[in-house]
Amino acid sequence: MTTAAIRPRPSAAGSSQPDLAFTAYRLADIGLVRRRLTEALRMCECIEPLIDTAVLLATELLGNALRHAAPGGRPLVVRLDMHWNGRGLTLAVSDPDPRVPAARTAAPDAESGRGLELLEALAARWGTRPTATGKTVWCVIS
């Protein structure tokens, strides 16, 4: 089951509270996250190209976390936070795995392996930060 808290409003300057927060437990939850993220960004009056990019990168970040971060194959809780300041958007996906993402070379016909390339190409900037319970991978879209 996916849970969400939506507060579609511009973030207060310096606010650490997300405008949108989701918790996903399995890959099947990503479809709902995509729909809710799209709805929230439209409520914030974001332009469609920004929405499209945000949905694509959120899908990549969540999918990677759910595929690669499961410690010992145990059930996994992954959180997506969205911060909107009226001009730019920050997405942050937190998971319990402390390992940072590593780029890999995908074969031309491979269906996966290009997530970090998408981040590099579409985000204004991105990075990782350790947390007390794992890591957060974030990106800024403007």
Side-chain angles (χ1 to χ4, degrees):
M1 174 183 288
T2 302
T3 57
I6 302 174
R7 290 184 299 283
R9 54 157 177 76
S11 297
S15 171
S16 63
Q17 294 298 313
D19 298 306
L20 174 69
F22 282 102
T23 303
Y25 303 94
R26 53 193 173 32
L27 289 170
D29 294 337
I30 294 175
L32 177 60
V33 172
R34 290 170 58 96
R35 288 188 297 278
R36 294 284 170 83
L37 179 59
T38 299
E39 291 168 7
L41 291 172
R42 284 186 177 141
M43 289 175 67
C44 292
E45 299 179 357
C46 292
I47 60 173
E48 287 299 317
L50 186 139
I51 294 170
D52 294 342
T53 299
V55 169
L56 175 61
L57 293 180
T59 300
E60 280 297 318
L61 293 174
L62 286 167
N64 287 346
L66 289 166
R67 279 185 202 91
H68 302 295
R74 293 184 308 219
L76 182 66
V77 176
V78 174
R79 179 181 167 107
L80 167 69
D81 291 333
M82 177 196 92
H83 300 270
W84 168 248
N85 67 9
R87 294 178 315 279
L89 176 69
T90 300
L91 300 175
V93 173
S94 300
D95 66 58
D97 186 351
R99 297 174 299 164
V100 297
R104 62 183 192 168
T105 303
D109 59 345
E111 293 183 9
S112 64
R114 295 179 185 84
L116 295 183
E117 290 179 34
L118 282 172
L119 274 174
E120 285 288 337
L122 299 175
R125 60 187 186 282
W126 73 276
T128 63
R129 67 177 176 269
T131 66
T133 59
K135 72 169 171 308
T136 297
V137 180
W138 57 270
C139 65
V140 176
I141 306 162
S142 50

